[in-house]
Structure formats: C-alpha cells, structure tokens
Amino acid sequence: MGYQISSYCRIYNSKLWLNGKQSLISNVEPERLADKLFEELELFYPKFYKMDKISKLGLVASEMVLKGHNLPSLDSMAMILSNCSSCDITDQHYWELSKNRPSPSVFVYTLPNIVIGEICIRHNIRGETLFFITPDFSATHLHNQVIMMMNYSSVACLAGWIEVQSENVDILLYLVSEVNNEKRLAHSKKNIQKLYELWKS
Amino acid sequence: MEILKAKLKSQVIQVLNLKHLAVEDIDDNQPLFGEGLGLDSIDALELVVLLQKEYNITIPNAGEGIKIFGSIQSMAEYITQQKNKV
C-alpha cells in the first residue's frame, strides 16, 4: 500500500510554505506570529486565545493543512508530532508567573502533547496519537512512525515537527493518506526531508 | 457596586484571555459558565486565584464557588459582603 503527502504546511519564523506556495508573513514580531496567522485565517474559535504558543501555532498549521480535505474517518485518523524542546517555553512562562500568581490555565499547557489534544478537539480527530521528543528533526523517524501507524489501523495521519522557542518557530505539518492522486508527493523520507529543508530556499 | 462590576468584567476578560469580548458584552447577570460565557473548570480556578490575589478573599468551601461565580453580579455581591465583614 502506498501513501502520499496530501498537503503540507512549513513555517520557519516569518516564512510560510503551503502546498508549494511560499509567502512571507510580514510585519510581525515572533510573539505575534500565531495570532497574525489566526487573524488571516478568519476563524472564530475563542479558545485559541487561551492556548500557549505551541498549541496556537499547531492549531493554525493544522487549519491550513486540513482545509478542504474530506477526511474519511476521524475515528481512525492518527497524529504524530515531535520536537526537541518539549514545551520548555511554556514551562518557563509558568515558572515566571508562579513567582507572583500561579496560573492554572498556563499550567495545563506544561505538557508537550497538549498541542495534539487541542488539534484533536478542534477537528474532532479521535484516532491514535503520539508525541516524540527527539534530539533533532528526523525525517526517518517520522516516516517510520507514520508507516507503523498507517499499517496498524489508521486511514490518515497528521504528522510533523513543531519546535517553538521564544524567538524561533520551526514547524512542518503534513497530512499522510493512501495514494489517491499520483500528482501528490509520495510519502517518503526523501520528500519529508525536502519539505523540512524548504527554509533553505 | 457598579464600579466594582465594571472592574470585575475587565479583570475576567484579561485573566481568562477572552479577547473576543469587550466589557460591554458581558451582562451583570449573564451566567459565566455553561450557556453564558462558556467558561470551563480551568477558568473557575483562575477566578479563585483572581479573588485571592486581587481582593484577598479565599473561598473556604468549594461548594460555594458555584453560587459565587454564577455571574458578575454574584461575584461583586460576594466581594462586597466579604469586605464589609472586615
């Protein structure tokens, strides 16, 4: 069974690539990047403003990747994300706040896999999920995990790398499904690496 | 009481990141949870912290929280009542 990358979104600081098209997210501070993208998508989702930076960026990236896709069964749609800094940025934010006033609503984001939960809630995804913390981006690791998940029980898988620090945003999110269009990118280690390296272009 | 209610609305919006709302969007008697503003259990904890930090008021009995945090009106009444005790 062959798999394809049905759509993808690559965000590298103020650069955005969406299914082959590049755009520059201009006039925006790193802190405001997620809010800016959310505004441009013209979504009404008040919960967005309560999220930490990782969940906000994961959510807007998922909106772009899943837009226009008729997902076959949300019960068997999986999600696999990874990064190298866990939710360090949120942990530090909580630590700073707790010196003055501990915030329960920030505390709930002090786990790296919360971004998966937020994306699942938003899109009603109910399949298997995994979050890996790895030393670096690894196309091989992501590819192998997605293949395992697809072979196991999933009909589609949202996968990628979501590394967010205070000044840097490094996200690749893509949707893998069974081949239904030969023009789509094949789901291969080489193509995943190529998408990740778009930032070099 | 009116000043307190306006201040509370502003604080609730700020503390709970309700950026889609303005002070004038919240009615005094509008339920804060469920069908009203749609707040959740984590928001309830934030409101408990807000009362402690900003008004030096603790809620000794968790069961009372449902009544106290029912609306801006009930929060303002509780704060006024507690201040008058001092």
Side-chain angles (χ1 to χ4, degrees), chain B residues 4 8 60 63 72 78 83:
Chain B
L4 175 59
L8 271 174
I72 292 292
Y78 185 73
K83 294 283 179 197

Side-chain angles (χ1 to χ4, degrees), chain A residues 78-82 116 129-130 132 142 145-146 149 157-160:
Chain A
M79 198 180 331
I80 300 173
L81 297 181
S82 64
I116 287 182
T129 65
L130 286 167
F132 292 98
L142 277 170
Q145 293 299 329
V146 168
M149 197 69 102
C157 184
L158 191 61

Side-chain angles (χ1 to χ4, degrees), chain A:
Chain A
M1 179 77 66
Y3 301 117
Q4 67 183 20
I5 295 174
S6 300
S7 63
Y8 69 86
C9 169
R10 177 81 173 99
I11 303 172
Y12 188 78
N13 296 331
S14 60
K15 288 181 178 174
L16 167 73
W17 293 262
L18 182 61
N19 299 322
K21 290 179 185 168
Q22 184 187 351
S23 59
L24 195 64
I25 311 154
S26 55
N27 301 323
V28 60
E29 300 284 313
E31 250 345 280
R32 279 264 312 141
L33 180 63
D35 289 5
K36 170 92 173 169
L37 288 169
F38 183 74
E39 285 159 16
E40 287 185 3
L41 289 167
E42 296 181 339
L43 302 170
F44 181 76
Y45 194 58
K47 195 169 189 276
F48 174 83
Y49 295 108
K50 299 184 178 196
M51 295 177 191
D52 72 337
K53 195 175 170 184
I54 306 167
S55 293
K56 279 182 171 181
L57 285 160
L59 190 121
V60 292
S62 74
E63 289 289 336
M64 290 186 270
V65 169
L66 297 178
K67 193 176 181 182
H69 283 274
N70 238 345
L71 299 168
S73 170
L74 294 166
D75 279 326
S76 48
M77 178 159 170
M79 198 180 331
I80 300 173
L81 297 181
S82 64
N83 75 5
C84 63
S85 297
S86 182
C87 54
D88 186 48
I89 183 174
T90 306
D91 294 347
Q92 286 183 37
H93 180 48
Y94 178 73
W95 178 250
E96 287 303 317
L97 284 178
S98 66
K99 290 175 185 171
N100 180 33
R101 186 180 74 87
S103 168
S105 59
V106 175
F107 177 73
V108 295
Y109 287 97
T110 56
L111 282 172
N113 58 337
I114 298 298
V115 58
I116 287 182
E118 291 292 6
I119 295 171
C120 284
I121 291 167
R122 170 67 181 162
H123 300 286
N124 205 16
I125 295 168
R126 298 182 296 272
E128 302 287 338
T129 65
L130 286 167
F131 194 102
F132 292 98
I133 299 166
T134 55
D136 295 296
F137 172 81
S138 168
T140 301
H141 179 259
L142 277 170
H143 177 267
N144 293 346
Q145 293 299 329
V146 168
I147 291 290
M148 190 182 71
M149 197 69 102
M150 293 294 284
N151 289 346
Y152 172 59
S153 65
S154 306
V155 294
C157 184
L158 191 61
W161 176 256
I162 180 157
E163 172 65 14
V164 178
Q165 294 175 5
S166 55
E167 294 294 321
N168 297 311
V169 174
D170 183 10
I171 293 173
L172 169 63
L173 194 67
Y174 54 92
L175 177 66
V176 178
S177 58
E178 290 175 8
V179 173
N180 60 17
N181 184 339
E182 295 298 335
K183 288 179 184 170
R184 302 277 190 209
L185 275 179
H187 175 247
S188 66
K189 294 168 194 173
K190 191 179 161 189
N191 282 339
I192 296 167
Q193 187 67 34
K194 203 186 283 181
L195 295 181
Y196 182 72
E197 289 180 1
L198 279 172
W199 69 274
K200 292 179 179 173
S201 60

